[in-house]
């Protein structure tokens, strides 16, 4: 059977109809890496379109210092003006208590706290030690519990750090244990600069799932070394069901040398749908949004799917002249 005759999403060789939860990060991880300011109205319009694509969660913006991330200085306006579609959770990145207080004033569904497993990256990204970050985040967790806001913690450089090398798994587990003890709802294991490989991912996911089976685990991959989708699939095969990804494959931490984009949402959905997983996503809407995003940032996006089209796209026969 020719591959292009297989209808999308109904592949008879489907391993299981398991539901996977997609979380969009383009307007946070994606935009923070862009140099040209994206107008607030365009951010809001993009989030409103994406809200109808089937995501479980959208990371809208970050309440970081506007001096550190000028692109997201309009966090309050974006967060308060977007349409909030029932069934979609709207989360924001929070580095400290000041950010949490700002987010509470506009109302969010979740605080996504951030710190790094690598001391060096924590110092360059958040300008403080891991100990100081953890102490500050304890105060934020207390505030969130009092305000009945869910808490997720994103552990940057969980697999490796571009300045200090591969992250030892026991060091990652130390911070996972710390935040599990603090009673957070979820933890994102983040591969900030694409240093993980599928075998490494399997080992980490199996350990995390077996130790904390009730934790809401998210895997957050960057495609910096071309292993992004392979890593996502390795995580799915261990039972992980939640992934961050970025429309068009934009993304990257400005304080991690060599950082490049997240795994691309439309490519992740395309792969998982073809394999018979239930992503709940509208791939056609994603491709429309990605094409608009290309116009918005004014350059070619990393998304290969946007260039090639889905596998069921057929071209006219090429004839020799
Ligand atoms: N929101 C708005 N302003 C903030 C803030 C927040 N969450 N946290 C600190 N500030 C302001 C302070 O008021 C101060 O302003 P001033 O210079 O006008 O007085 C300034 O930022 C510096 O504050 P300080 O407490 O000294 O923080 P810092 O300069 O050491 O920065 C962070 C610490 C964490 C706020 C900053 O490094 C940051 O926002 N990093 C985010 C990095 C990031 O998002 N990376 C990508 C995601 S992984
Ligand atoms: Zn990231």
């Amino acid at each position: 059977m020719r591959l292009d005759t297989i209808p999308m999403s109904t592949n008879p060789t489907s391993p299981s109809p398991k539901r996977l939860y997609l979380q969009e990060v383009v307007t946070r991880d994606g935009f923070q890496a862009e140099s040209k300011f994206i107008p607030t109205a365009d951010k809001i319009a993009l989030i409103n379109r994406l809200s109808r694509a089937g995501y479980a969660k959208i990371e809208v913006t970050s309440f970081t210092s506007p001096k550190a991330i000028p692109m997201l200085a309009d966090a309050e306006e974006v967060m308060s003006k977007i349409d909030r579609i029932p069934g979609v959770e709207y989360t924001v990145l929070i580095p400290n208590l000041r950010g949490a207080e700002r987010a509470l004033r506009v109302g969010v569904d979740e605080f996504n706290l951030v710190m790094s497993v690598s001391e060096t990256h924590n110092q360059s990204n958040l300008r403080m030690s891991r100990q100081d970050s953890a102490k500050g985040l304890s105060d934020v967790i207390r505030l969130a519990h009092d305000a009945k806001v869910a808490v997720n913690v994103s552990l940057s450089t969980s697999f490796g750090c571009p300045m200090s090398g591969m992250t030892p798994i026991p060091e990652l587990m130390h911070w996972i244990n710390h935040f599990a003890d603090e009673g957070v709802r979820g933890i994102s294991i983040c591969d900030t600069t694409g240093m993980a490989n599928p075998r490494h991912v399997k080992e980490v996911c199996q350990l995390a799932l077996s130790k904390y089976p009730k934790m809401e685990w998210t895997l957050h991959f960057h495609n910096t070394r071309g292993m992004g989708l392979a890593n996502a699939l390795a995580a799915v095969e261990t039972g992980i069901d939640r992934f961050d990804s970025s429309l068009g494959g934009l993304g990257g931490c400005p304080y991690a040398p060599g950082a490049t984009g997240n795994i691309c949402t439309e490519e992740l959905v395309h792969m998982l749908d073809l394999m018979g997983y239930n992503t709940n996503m509208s791939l056609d809407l994603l491709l429309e949004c990605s094409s608009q995003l290309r116009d918005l940032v004014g350059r070619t996006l990393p998304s290969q799917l946007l260039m090639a089209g889905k596998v069921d796209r057929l071209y006219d026969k090429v004839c020799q002249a």
Side-chain angles (χ1 to χ4, degrees), residues 28-29 220 222 262:
R28 198 279 297 171
D29 208 334
H220 175 111
H222 284 256
N262 296 72

Side-chain angles (χ1 to χ4, degrees), residues 89 91 108-112 144-145 147-152 185-186:
E89 280 197 44
T91 189
V108 298
D109 297 325
E110 184 193 75
F111 288 168
N112 182 21
H145 286 167
K148 303 209 171 354
V149 173
V151 180
N152 185 79
R185 177 182 70 168

Side-chain angles (χ1 to χ4, degrees), residues 28 32 63-69 96 98-99 102 125 127:
R28 198 279 297 171
Q32 76 186 8
F63 286 86
T64 45
S65 155
K67 283 182 192 146
I69 310 282
N96 58 13
R98 168 94 188 270
R102 287 174 59 204
N125 192 35
R127 296 162 51 113

Side-chain angles (χ1 to χ4, degrees), residues 3-215:
L3 190 60
D4 59 27
T5 63
I6 298 173
M8 294 286 300
S9 307
T10 54
N11 185 340
T13 61
S14 158
S16 89
K18 188 176 172 191
R19 171 76 202 269
L20 299 176
Y21 300 90
L22 275 281
Q23 308 182 155
E24 180 57 54
V25 300
V26 68
T27 53
R28 198 279 297 171
D29 208 334
F31 285 177
Q32 76 186 8
E34 289 298 308
S35 49
K36 197 176 108 232
F37 187 78
I38 294 167
T40 307
D42 290 327
K43 292 172 180 155
I44 295 168
L46 177 62
I47 293 164
N48 287 346
R49 285 208 84 193
L50 291 172
S51 275
R52 288 153 176 95
Y55 291 100
K57 206 185 274 186
I58 296 179
E59 190 170 39
V60 174
T61 183
S62 72
F63 286 86
T64 45
S65 155
K67 283 182 192 146
I69 310 282
M71 172 65 91
L72 303 179
D74 54 5
E76 275 86 351
E77 190 177 352
V78 172
M79 193 59 227
S80 54
K81 288 192 176 162
I82 53 167
D83 300 336
R84 310 252 304 242
I85 304 297
V88 183
E89 280 197 44
Y90 296 90
T91 189
V92 293
L93 195 81
I94 303 281
N96 58 13
L97 198 55
R98 168 94 188 270
E101 287 163 352
R102 287 174 59 204
L104 269 191
R105 282 197 284 276
V106 288
V108 298
D109 297 325
E110 184 193 75
F111 288 168
N112 182 21
L113 313 186
V114 61
M115 71 167 277
S116 295
V117 178
S118 147
E119 178 69 23
T120 323
H121 184 250
N122 207 71
Q123 294 278 4
S124 70
N125 192 35
L126 301 171
R127 296 162 51 113
M128 61 186 104
S129 69
R130 290 173 298 181
Q131 289 307 335
D132 286 346
S133 273
K135 206 156 141 271
L137 295 183
S138 286
D139 296 336
V140 178
I141 292 168
R142 264 195 299 282
L143 177 74
H145 286 167
D146 291 347
K148 303 209 171 354
V149 173
V151 180
N152 185 79
V153 178
S154 279
L155 294 175
S156 304
T157 62
S158 284
F159 295 93
C161 163
M163 293 161 287
S164 53
M166 297 311 289
T167 302
I169 292 178
E171 210 169 315
L172 169 62
M173 288 312 294
H174 167 81
W175 290 106
I176 286 176
N177 294 338
H178 172 86
F179 285 108
D181 289 348
E182 296 245 328
V184 301
R185 177 182 70 168
I187 296 179
S188 300
I189 302 178
C190 304
D191 188 19
T192 309
T193 56
M195 293 174 72
N197 65 67
R199 187 177 289 182
H200 188 177
V201 168
K202 276 201 169 159
E203 191 178 344
V204 165
C205 293
Q206 279 161 353
L207 201 57
L209 282 168
S210 65
K211 184 131 196 227
Y212 300 106
K214 296 213 173 85
M215 183 66 73

